[in-house]
C-alpha cells in the first residue's frame, strides 16, 4: 500500500537530509517511491536531488516563471522538513489556488473531481516536448488515478472556500461560473507570467494593449481555455526543450560507455564538467532533475545541483 511505502521511506529521506545544512526552508520528496503511480515506471527507485534558493522558489510559485517547481508542488509531495517561513507558506498556498483557477478556465461548466485533478496535473506538462517524444503518454493519468485521495486532501479546502464553484463532495462533482464576468475574474488572478504570455499571444503587432484589456477580450472568447493552454505551453516549452537536449546527450554518452567506445573515466570527467556547467545555472536552465527537493535560505544557493549516477 502507498501509506506503508511512505512510512518505510521516511527514514531514508531523513538520512538524505542529514547530509544537507540544517537551515532549510523546505525539503520535499516525490515520485513513485513516495506516492504510488500506475504504468511501467511505477517500481523505479533511482533518487535525484536538487537545491534552489527560497527566493527563486517563491518567485516561481507566485509568478510561474518556468512552472517546473511550481508545477511539481501542484501535485502531492511528501514534505520532509519545513520551517515557519510565512512568505513561503503563503506562496505555496497561492500556487495551489492558481492551479485550480487555471484548470477551471480549461474545463467545461460541469466536471468531476478526477477531471479537475487531471487538468491540474497536466498544467506543467503543457507544451512539454518530452510528452511528445520519450515520455509515457499516459504519465498524467498514471499520477492522478492512484492518488485521487491525496489530490482531494491537497485541494479540498480550496474548493470548498472558492465562491465561484459548487463542490458536491459526496458526488465528487463540481460546477463553475463560465460567464465572461466569471472568467475575467479568474483570468485576473492568474500568475503574472501566464497573464503576460496570454497578452503576447492575443495582442496584435503594434497595438500594445495592456494586460487587463487583453484578458477582458479573452474572457469573452469561446476559445478562452485554448488561449490559456497556449500561454502555459509558452512557459513550459523552452525549458522542456533544453532538458530534452541534455537528456539525449547524457543517454548517448552512457550508451557509448556500455559499448566500450568511451572509457569510464571519460564519462566521469564529462559528468564533472557537466556539473560544473550546471552548478552555475538557475532552475530555469535545468528543469527536470528534481526528484528530492531541498530548499535553502542561503542567498548563495541560487543553483540547482544535479547528481549523476
Amino acid at each position: 500500500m502507498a501509506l506503508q511505502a511512505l512510512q518505510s521511506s521516511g527514514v531514508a529521506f531523513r538520512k538524505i537530509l542529514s547530509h544537507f545544512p540544517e537551515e532549510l526552508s523546505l525539503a520535499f520528496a516525490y515520485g513513485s517511491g513516495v506516492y504510488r503511480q500506475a504504468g511501467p515506471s511505477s517500481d523505479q527507485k533511482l533518487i535525484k536531488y536538487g537545491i534552489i534558493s527560497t527566493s527563486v522558489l517563491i518567485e516561481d510559485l507566485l509568478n510561474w516563471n518556468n512552472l517546473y517547481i511550481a508545477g511539481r508542488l501542484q501535485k502531492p509531495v511528501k514534505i520532509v522538513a519545513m520551517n515557519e517561513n510565512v512568505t513561503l507558506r503563503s506562496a505555496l498556498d497561492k500556487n495551489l489556488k492558481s492551479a485550480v483557477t487555471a484548470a477551471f478556465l480549461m474545463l467545461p461548466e460541469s466536471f468531476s473531481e478526477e477531471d479537475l485533478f487531471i487538468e491540474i496535473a497536466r498544467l506543467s506538462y503543457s507544451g512539454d516536448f518530452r510528452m511528445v517524444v520519450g515520455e509515457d503518454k499516459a504519465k498524467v493519468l498514471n499520477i492522478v488515478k492512484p492518488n485521487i485521495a491525496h489530490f482531494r486532501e491537497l485541494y479540498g479546502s480550496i474548493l470548498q472556500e472558492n465562491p465561484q464553484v459548487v463542490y458536491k463532495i459526496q458526488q465528487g462533482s463540481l460546477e463553475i461560473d463560465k460567464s465572461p464576468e466569471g472568467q475575467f475574474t479568474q483570468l485576473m488572478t492568474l500568475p503574472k507570467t501566464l497573464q503576460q504570455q496570454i497578452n503576447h499571444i492575443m495582442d496584435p503587432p503594434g497595438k500594445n494593449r495592456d494586460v487587463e484589456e487583453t484578458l477582458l477580450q479573452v474572457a469573452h472568447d469561446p476559445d478562452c481555455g485554448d488561449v490559456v493552454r497556449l500561454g502555459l505551453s509558452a512557459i513550459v516549452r523552452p525549458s522542456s526543450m533544453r532538458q530534452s537536449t541534455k537528456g539525449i546527450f547524457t543517454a548517448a554518452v552512457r550508451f557509448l560507455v556500455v559499448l566500450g567506445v568511451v572509457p569510464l573515466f571519460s564519462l566521469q570527467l564529462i559528468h564533472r564538467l557537466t556539473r560544473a556547467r550546471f552548478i552555475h545555472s538557475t532552475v530555469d536552465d535545468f528543469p527536470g532533475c528534481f526528484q528530492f527537493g531541498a530548499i535553502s535560505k542561503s542567498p548563495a544557493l541560487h543553483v540547482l545541483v544535479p547528481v549523476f549516477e
Side-chain angles (χ1 to χ4, degrees), residues 184 187-188 192 194-200 208-218:
F184 180 63
L187 287 163
M188 286 296 292
K192 181 179 67 176
L194 181 52
Q195 290 181 338
Q196 291 171 342
Q197 291 293 349
I198 291 172
N199 187 51
H200 179 72
N208 296 322
R209 293 183 301 186
D210 62 31
V211 172
E212 184 173 343
E213 184 182 352
T214 300
L215 296 181
L216 182 60
Q217 175 195 346
V218 174

Side-chain angles (χ1 to χ4, degrees), residues 201-261:
I201 291 166
M202 297 298 292
D203 190 22
K207 193 163 185 181
N208 296 322
R209 293 183 301 186
D210 62 31
V211 172
E212 184 173 343
E213 184 182 352
T214 300
L215 296 181
L216 182 60
Q217 175 195 346
V218 174
H220 287 80
D221 193 325
D223 297 322
C224 174
D226 294 333
V227 175
V228 173
R229 199 178 302 280
L230 286 173
L232 289 165
S233 297
I235 295 172
V236 174
R237 187 183 302 111
S239 57
S240 74
M241 290 290 289
R242 287 194 295 270
Q243 174 61 10
S244 297
T245 302
K246 294 165 186 173
I248 292 170
F249 170 77
T250 303
V253 172
R254 286 180 179 169
F255 179 69
L256 292 174
V257 168
V258 171
L259 293 180
V261 177

Side-chain angles (χ1 to χ4, degrees), residues 3-71:
L3 287 178
Q4 292 175 341
L6 194 61
Q7 291 167 358
S8 64
S9 61
V11 174
F13 294 147
R14 285 192 291 273
K15 285 183 178 178
I16 295 172
L17 269 190
S18 68
H19 297 283
F20 288 84
E22 292 183 2
E23 292 188 0
L24 293 175
S25 297
L26 171 68
F28 64 90
Y30 72 91
S32 57
V34 181
Y35 291 110
R36 184 170 60 90
Q37 295 181 15
S41 62
S42 58
D43 294 328
Q44 286 186 356
K45 299 178 181 179
L46 169 59
I47 288 179
K48 304 174 186 177
Y49 77 86
I51 302 171
I52 185 174
S53 73
T54 304
S55 61
V56 173
L57 170 66
I58 291 173
E59 182 74 14
D60 195 41
L61 291 171
L62 295 177
N63 297 322
W64 290 6
N65 293 343
N66 57 59
L67 202 53
Y68 182 73
I69 299 178

Side-chain angles (χ1 to χ4, degrees), residues 111-136:
F111 49 91
S112 68
E113 273 185 327
E114 184 175 300
D115 293 333
L116 173 63
F117 299 149
I118 288 171
E119 201 64 65
I120 288 173
R122 187 180 286 145
L123 294 176
S124 60
Y125 295 115
S126 299
D128 192 332
F129 178 75
R130 293 166 296 174
M131 297 299 287
V132 179
V133 180
E135 287 279 6
D136 180 5

